[in-house]
Amino acid sequence: MQKSASNTVKFNLDPNSPPELTQAQQAELAALRRKADEAIDYSDLPELGDDFWQAAKRVSTHKQQITLRLDADVLEFFKATGSRYQSRINAVLKAYVHAQQ
């Protein structure tokens, strides 16, 4: 975790090393896995009315194919993480762009 100048605590979750769950959390997840979808109570979720959908904005995820030269060790690292390594490279670059803004 890191604090910004405004004392806002930022937490970045690394999907490759998630935090350990407590025994209570593990038990709760196990109970949910056993439950049928029809048995899950969604009554506390509000309905999304027309006003929500009127204000919704479509996010473009158009990707552009390019040729990019990477250092061999960088490419090897991402390939070792499994399939969709190009999507992970894109996510890292996107996080960098957002951090610079």
Side-chain angles (χ1 to χ4, degrees):
M1 282 191 294
Q2 64 186 132
K3 283 193 175 186
S4 68
S6 65
N7 281 338
T8 301
V9 175
K10 296 180 181 181
F11 177 77
N12 292 321
L13 179 63
D14 179 4
N16 292 321
S17 58
E20 290 192 30
L21 298 177
T22 65
Q23 286 185 345
Q25 290 169 326
Q26 290 176 6
E28 185 177 357
L29 286 175
L32 283 173
R33 283 188 201 100
R34 290 189 300 270
K35 189 178 276 196
D37 288 347
E38 299 79 32
I40 298 174
D41 179 16
Y42 295 103
S43 64
D44 60 335
L45 297 176
E47 288 290 323
L48 298 177
D50 290 338
D51 56 332
F52 173 84
W53 297 108
Q54 296 289 333
K57 295 179 183 173
R58 185 178 182 143
V59 177
S60 173
T61 57
H62 176 73
K63 296 188 177 179
Q64 186 174 358
Q65 184 174 351
I66 64 163
T67 299
L68 177 67
R69 295 184 181 276
L70 300 173
D71 290 341
D73 59 336
V74 171
L75 183 58
E76 194 61 36
F77 170 82
F78 280 98
K79 279 188 170 183
T81 64
S83 64
R84 299 188 45 88
Y85 69 92
Q86 291 174 327
S87 295
R88 280 188 290 285
I89 293 171
N90 186 65
V92 168
L93 292 171
K94 187 176 280 196
Y96 177 81
V97 168
H98 289 302
Q100 299 304 309
Q101 295 173 342

